[in-house]
Amino acid sequence: MTLRISVIGTGYLGATHAAAMAEFGFEVLGLDIDPDKIATLTAGRVPMYEPGLSELLLKHVAGHEGSTGRLRFTTSVQEAAEFGDVHFVCVNTPQRKGEFAADMSYVDTAIDGLAPYLTRPALVVGKSTVPVGSASRLAERLAALAPVGAGAELAWNPEFLREGFAVQDTLRPDRIVVGAHSERAERLLREVYAEPISAGVPFMVTDFATAELVKAAANSFLATKISFINAMAEVCEAAGADVTQLSTALAYDERIGGKFLNSGLGFGGGCLPKDIRAFMARAGELGADQALTFLREVDSINMRRRSRMVELAREQCGGGFLGRRVAVLGAAFKPNSDDIRDSPALNVAAQIQLQGAQVTVYDPKAVDNARKMFPSLTYAGSALEAAEGAHVVLHLTEWAEFRRLDPAELGAVVAERRLLDGRNVLDAEAWRSAGWTYRALGRPS
Ligand code: UDX
């Protein structure tokens, strides 16, 4: 008999995971406490911009013409508990207010809500990013609260998907890491992931703590790599060198590699910033804080890039923002996403606005979300419209459409041809030869 899978929490992670499980051939029930989200997903729509996800949903959500009907959604915990043989926990773990530590309340609530309905053997699989040590605590809690007792087992299976590539990362991940304590748990997860495993995706079984740490370590490494090159950008600025040429040269060394070595405004989003902070907080609790003090520096280097961009913009405005118009290209924390959580672009836009400039923002997908969080910024429907009358144009999120902008066309509408490239990807020569002053972080003026 085919496994039946429930997915608890239908945000980025859960909605994508549920659709992917249906694609693998399982019967899937997605659960969320938010009835609006459930209604949207049931209608086959995706509450966020994620390439390919709505197509995958429509292929499987029950009630749509030509769909496999394998995927349904509900707000009933009891229904999900009774339905699933395997329950994936995909709720979020945001940063706690006023602290570095992760807020575990959604994970705890998910386990506490599900457990009392588990009357037959079931495997609960955590995918949320959690502080190391959470899985063993939750495993005990699950067995204590479930009527089936130890028949309700826990496994930990961290998720590494990137926003903007969520579908492909879920269907064909780089690796599948599983923290499991029994043969039954391992067997069930091998069955769940039979398709990617047969396609050659490495499947690694380990203990709970190691599985949890793989996620924290991976995100810390990525954040460190970005802050490393941004620290080099600071040195390049001081020494009159060019960080883009430096990173190109470094990348030829295969041991270093070019990925995540793009200098600029640094990292943001719902994961890297909060994950490195939660990791530091957890290491502190474990008495291993010294091991991660470097992450504090990684965080500071990253935040300094935002201040530096504001400074450069102020310089370009003649030393002050009052009465100046600033165009900001990009609001999402990265291209191909409408996610604005801890967006470096919006952080810079808001700081400049607070210092007296009139800031107009354009983003291909994230304007609606940005407007909700920063209603006092002005928003435009195109890059050209945002640039009208601007004394300086800031390129802060590297959408492909910004690389296709025509410097002459944009030059015709601005007040002054001044461009700051916060992502080091525009063609400096093309902009300069169209009469623009082109400046970027970590590059000579
Ligand atoms: C990240 C991890 O990549 C993913 O594995 C994990 O599961 C969740 O966190 P995501 O938040 O979607 O994924 O974004 P990612 O593509 O990693 O980018 C993070 C930030 O780093 C973005 O703001 C991006 O602009 C920035 N970045 C990335 C750089 O500044 N330079 C780079 O070279 C790469």
Side-chain angles (χ1 to χ4, degrees), residues 160-161 163 215 226 260-262 267-268 271 333-334 423:
F160 306 102
L161 69 79
E163 290 182 18
K215 177 62 190 263
I226 298 169
F260 270 67
L261 209 58
N262 301 318
F267 58 83
C271 293
F333 84 100
K334 69 172 190 181
R423 292 295 175 180

Side-chain angles (χ1 to χ4, degrees), residues 31 88 115 130 379 399:
L31 167 73
F88 282 97
V130 295
Y379 294 93
W399 285 91

Side-chain angles (χ1 to χ4, degrees), residues 96-139:
R96 250 189 253 163
K97 286 205 167 53
E99 283 179 57
F100 267 16
D103 177 354
M104 284 291 289
S105 58
Y106 301 112
V107 177
D108 291 346
T109 307
I111 299 286
D112 289 1
L114 180 72
Y117 296 110
L118 297 177
T119 50
R120 64 186 166 94
L123 181 67
V124 178
V125 185
K127 287 194 87 64
S128 309
T129 299
V130 295
V132 58
S134 303
S136 45
R137 172 176 69 79
L138 293 167

Side-chain angles (χ1 to χ4, degrees), residues 346-427:
L346 281 179
N347 182 303
V348 166
Q351 286 191 56
I352 292 177
Q353 165 101 347
L354 284 173
Q355 293 180 32
Q358 165 74 44
V359 180
T360 306
V361 180
Y362 165 68
D363 187 284
K365 294 286 174 197
V367 163
D368 289 345
N369 286 340
R371 191 181 277 119
K372 280 180 220 148
M373 187 175 274
F374 293 100
S376 61
L377 295 168
T378 305
Y379 294 93
S382 69
L384 211 60
E385 191 189 327
E388 249 168 60
H391 296 99
V392 61
V393 176
L394 272 51
H395 171 247
L396 302 184
T397 311
E398 70 278 31
W399 285 91
E401 73 168 68
F402 298 148
R403 288 196 284 284
R404 292 193 296 265
L405 284 171
D406 177 357
E409 201 184 345
L410 215 69
V413 302
V414 293
E416 285 172 42
R417 296 187 176 197
R418 295 176 180 281
L419 175 72
L420 290 181
D421 182 1
R423 292 295 175 180
N424 278 333
V425 293
L426 299 179
D427 181 346

Side-chain angles (χ1 to χ4, degrees), residues 63-218:
H64 292 274
E65 211 190 311
S67 86
T68 63
R70 288 199 287 262
L71 176 56
R72 289 183 303 113
F73 293 94
T74 183
T75 52
S76 161
V77 186
Q78 183 171 359
E79 188 187 349
E82 285 166 4
F83 176 87
D85 305 300
V86 179
H87 306 277
F88 282 97
V89 177
C90 297
V91 294
N92 61 339
T93 50
Q95 188 174 339
R96 250 189 253 163
K97 286 205 167 53
E99 283 179 57
F100 267 16
D103 177 354
M104 284 291 289
S105 58
Y106 301 112
V107 177
D108 291 346
T109 307
I111 299 286
D112 289 1
L114 180 72
Y117 296 110
L118 297 177
T119 50
R120 64 186 166 94
L123 181 67
V124 178
V125 185
K127 287 194 87 64
S128 309
T129 299
V130 295
V132 58
S134 303
S136 45
R137 172 176 69 79
L138 293 167
E140 278 177 28
R141 199 167 169 79
L142 183 68
L145 294 176
V148 66
E153 215 187 317
L154 191 82
W156 214 263
N157 169 218
E159 178 57 55
F160 306 102
L161 69 79
R162 297 161 298 167
E163 290 182 18
F165 299 91
V167 171
Q168 75 182 62
D169 284 355
T170 307
L171 293 173
R172 281 288 175 278
D174 298 332
R175 73 293 208 190
I176 297 164
V177 176
V178 161
H181 285 177
S182 76
E183 271 176 28
R184 171 174 158 256
E186 181 180 337
R187 182 176 40 78
L188 277 170
L189 282 163
R190 281 189 185 277
E191 198 175 333
V192 167
Y193 291 118
E195 179 159 328
I197 292 171
S198 71
V201 174
F203 182 86
M204 191 180 154
V205 182
T206 179
D207 55 88
F208 284 169
T210 307
E212 292 167 318
L213 276 176
V214 173
K215 177 62 190 263

